Amino acid sequence: MKSKQLQAALAALVIAGSGVLVTDTAEAAKSTALQELVPQPVQVQPHTDITYTLSPSAKIQLSSADARKPAELLANILRPSTGYALPIENGVTGDGIVLTNGADPKTGPEGYQLDVTPKQVVIRANSVQGHFNGISTLRQLLPAKAEAKTKQQGPWQVPGVSILDHPRYHHRGAMLDVSRHFFTPAQVKRYIDQIQAFKINYFHLHLSDDQGWRLEIKSWPELTKIGGSTEVGGRTGKLFYTQDEYKDLVAYAQNRGITVIPEFDMPGHTNAAQASYAELNCDGKKRPLYTGTEVGFSSLCINKDITYKFVEDVIKEVSAITPGPYFHLGGDEALSTPDADYVTFMNRVLPLIKKYGKTTTGWHEFIKTTKDTTAIPQFWGTTTTDANVAAAAQRGNKIVMSPANRIYLDMKYNKNTKLGLDWAGLVEVKDAYSWNPGAYLNGVTEASVRGIEAPLWTETIRTSADIEYMAFPRLPVAAELGWSPASVHNWDRFAPRLGAQGPRWKIQGINFYASTQVPWKK
Ligand code: ACM
């Protein structure tokens, strides 16, 4: 018969969501890291008698070509903090971190197994994605100071465990609006690094809007010369990416397992283009540059051929420098485009995206204009009913879920939040967590959900610190909803796991919002 104290200790040691008990209280501390993973893996089997300690002579050993980039990512994180050389070598030779293939087929195209033995941490995966995801988990199993940019004191222990893991949804996205405020390549890379750590695999860049056109288009140079010269609030400068800078950003994301989805919003949200070229306006007159935050006042000229020459040139140039398969055409809030014109526009533009080899994604409004079941609507509404999205799901389209009152990262947390907007409501951390993407929209079932995306609009966001304050901790919330099995969805278990990220974010210099709803680890 167990003592009362032991029973209480055992109850406290249930690994969140896994149903696995750690059966020795003396081993509890070692297993703490296993209870602090975000997103929660599918299976976590602790081995309380085992601890792996990274040694100064440890190597990162590869027996899978897929693992090279993930190994480089891991080495770049651990070398500065541990001070160890951590050479990356082909072949499995002994002490260290082993990245190999031959994972259980249950892990699927993006999953992995992670096994900790006294001599090695072995990550098995059948794809490069799987290795990136396994590495993200290993980072959280190491002490938080492993994330430091300067040399720290060890020991660098990893608790004994066997993990088998794979995502609930393929699409786990984050969006950054670089149009309302422009963010430099360095700022964008910083955010890419932050989302990557939570197994986010799509990065959606909102590259054009009324306030700014942010990517060089060589055949239409005024788009950036004029349209990329200012932003909300009126700052001026070179507020755009050259094609080389964009290619570098895309490669940076790709080297971290992330696919960039470029968005050029049309036929509304187009003032920056219309300020750059007179011919894009029905009256042939350039619009003034706009530095305010209203929406819905601009529209491309639907019945001019030059509009489609412009759109085709943009799609052609962007597609040529975007290795990912998607082109996001916006399509939202076209309040100045009559409905019939909106349909006319989409009927001409959707085939152009196909012509250049890309799959169309867009804000959900566009889906009413097409029966193409490969097109991907991104739901951003605030209701749980949308007849057009439900009809598309019935036809077989897969939906990306971004309900604004749940995972728009620019919504204020509460009425005192200085940054952000509140048109979709106040979204505290628990609100962001308390919905089920697979049963949220009427008529859109789990099987019709491609995944989720957390957009960050930047009307009020100007710095990396601003980005981080709005994204943390809600971006990791979105990552959990997109990755972890629906069966582990439970706020009381999730909140401490989320709170355990606090020390890690402090070491990484992430300016997170320390919500009082979350029990932050000191
Ligand atoms: C949107 O928030 N207008 C997509």
Side-chain angles (χ1 to χ4, degrees):
M1 188 70 183
K2 292 172 191 137
S3 73
K4 266 207 155 88
Q5 291 93 322
L6 184 53
Q7 279 180 15
L10 286 172
L13 288 171
V14 175
I15 305 295
S18 72
V20 175
L21 283 177
V22 180
T23 52
D24 183 341
T25 47
E27 296 297 326
K30 262 203 244 165
S31 299
T32 306
L34 301 179
Q35 301 173 59
E36 296 182 343
L37 296 171
V38 175
Q40 172 67 37
V42 172
Q43 285 177 28
V44 178
Q45 175 69 56
H47 303 308
T48 53
D49 52 338
I50 292 175
T51 301
Y52 171 75
T53 305
L54 194 70
S55 76
S57 60
K59 295 170 181 157
I60 302 178
Q61 303 155 49
L62 315 181
S63 71
S64 161
D66 279 340
R68 170 68 52 179
K69 294 285 183 205
E72 285 169 3
L73 177 76
L74 181 67
N76 287 337
I77 291 160
L78 296 185
R79 282 175 188 150
S81 54
T82 61
Y84 300 166
L86 295 172
I88 299 172
E89 294 187 355
N90 289 320
V92 179
T93 53
D95 172 36
I97 295 158
V98 176
L99 304 180
T100 183
N101 43 24
D104 187 318
K106 273 196 278 207
T107 58
E110 295 179 74
Y112 64 92
Q113 286 175 279
L114 187 154
D115 291 283
V116 177
T117 74
K119 283 268 160 238
Q120 294 175 329
V121 176
V122 181
I123 296 174
R124 264 178 259 274
N126 299 325
S127 65
V128 62
Q129 288 299 330
H131 282 291
F132 276 120
N133 292 323
I135 297 269
S136 291
T137 298
L138 174 57
R139 286 171 65 182
Q140 292 187 11
L141 293 176
L142 282 157
K145 60 191 175 185
E147 301 289 335
K149 294 274 186 290
T150 55
K151 191 165 180 298
Q152 308 291 311
Q153 195 59 44
W156 304 103
Q157 292 186 326
V158 184
V161 69
S162 291
I163 293 174
L164 187 151
D165 199 14
H166 48 87
R168 176 177 178 183
Y169 299 117
H170 164 65
H171 188 114
R172 304 171 308 279
M175 184 209 84
L176 184 64
D177 169 11
V178 295
S179 298
R180 271 48 177 275
H181 281 101
F182 177 71
F183 295 88
T184 63
Q187 288 173 310
V188 174
K189 287 177 180 176
R190 181 175 167 90
Y191 194 47
I192 289 173
D193 284 338
Q194 291 166 352
I195 66 175
Q196 196 279 336
F198 290 92
K199 304 185 171 78
I200 296 293
N201 61 344
Y202 286 98
F203 182 52
H204 168 180
L205 269 174
H206 181 77
L207 284 159
S208 73
D209 213 304
D210 291 320
Q211 297 85 348
W213 186 281
R214 304 298 180 207
L215 178 64
E216 174 191 23
I217 302 294
K218 292 184 194 282
S219 54
W220 294 75
E222 305 291 305
L223 286 172
T224 43
K225 192 162 168 228
I226 297 171
S229 67
T230 188
E231 63 179 8
V232 168
R235 179 169 72 118
T236 56
K238 174 199 165 279
L239 306 180
F240 66 90
Y241 310 116
T242 64
Q243 291 201 0
D244 282 343
E245 286 169 333
Y246 172 81
K247 284 193 266 188
D248 178 62
L249 278 178
V250 168
Y252 188 87
Q254 200 171 27
N255 286 337
R256 285 154 184 76
I258 294 176
T259 300
V260 168
I261 302 176
E263 177 187 350
F264 292 86
D265 207 344
M266 51 184 114
H269 289 277
T270 48
N271 187 75
Q274 294 175 269
S276 305
Y277 285 97
E279 55 268 48
L280 295 180
N281 299 281
C282 288
D283 62 6
K285 294 191 186 130
K286 278 187 186 179
R287 295 291 174 266
L289 286 165
Y290 182 64
T291 59
T293 59
E294 295 302 314
V295 298
F297 60 87
S298 56
S299 175
L300 290 173
C301 189
I302 304 302
N303 296 313
K304 269 184 162 179
D305 280 340
I306 188 75
T307 294
Y308 302 95
K309 166 95 177 94
F310 160 71
V311 171
E312 179 162 1
D313 286 342
V314 170
I315 294 171
K316 181 177 168 185
E317 288 196 33
V318 172
S319 297
I321 56 172
T322 302
Y326 305 104
F327 184 95
H328 197 301
L329 88 171
D332 59 316
E333 296 176 310
L335 308 179
S336 298
T337 316
D339 283 351
D341 282 359
Y342 185 87
V343 174
T344 302
F345 179 83
M346 290 297 169
N347 285 345
R348 287 190 69 170
V349 169
L350 295 182
L352 294 174
I353 296 175
K354 271 214 163 89
K355 178 174 170 185
Y356 293 98
K358 298 299 180 194
T359 297
T360 297
T361 180
W363 302 109
H364 68 262
E365 288 100 312
F366 89 96
I367 205 64
K368 64 182 178 230
T369 70
T370 178
K371 296 268 189 302
D372 178 358
T373 54
T374 65
I376 302 167
Q378 179 173 4
F379 176 74
W380 65 277
T382 56
T383 62
T384 52
T385 302
D386 186 291
N388 293 318
V389 174
Q394 300 305 310
R395 287 194 295 271
N397 294 77
K398 300 283 191 240
I399 320 297
V400 170
M401 295 295 294
S402 301
N405 51 340
R406 297 294 185 173
I407 55 167
Y408 262 31
L409 300 178
D410 56 311
M411 289 302 114
K412 290 177 185 290
Y413 293 98
N414 59 54
K415 63 180 178 13
N416 297 322
T417 309
K418 292 205 172 57
L419 297 169
L421 306 175
D422 61 4
W423 62 264
L426 301 171
V427 182
E428 249 296 352
V429 182
K430 190 172 177 184
D431 303 315
Y433 181 75
S434 302
W435 64 289
N436 177 358
Y440 187 75
L441 260 189
N442 291 322
V444 179
T445 59
E446 177 80 5
S448 295
V449 172
R450 176 180 157 84
I452 68 163
E453 183 187 288
L456 178 53
W457 300 100
T458 60
E459 287 93 334
T460 67
I461 307 298
R462 289 175 296 115
T463 64
S464 284
D466 292 351
I467 290 175
E468 290 159 19
Y469 191 78
M470 301 311 272
F472 287 83
R474 290 180 296 191
L475 185 277
V477 167
E480 170 90 7
L481 292 175
W483 180 282
S484 301
S487 60
V488 308
H489 196 180
N490 177 307
W491 170 257
D492 292 336
R493 289 194 191 149
F494 173 66
R497 281 194 285 117
L498 187 62
Q501 309 305 312
R504 233 163 254 282
W505 296 342
K506 280 189 188 147
I507 285 167
Q508 291 168 322
I510 294 178
N511 178 41
F512 66 98
Y513 162 61
S515 169
T516 55
Q517 294 185 326
V518 178
W520 296 103
K521 186 174 172 178
K522 293 284 177 257

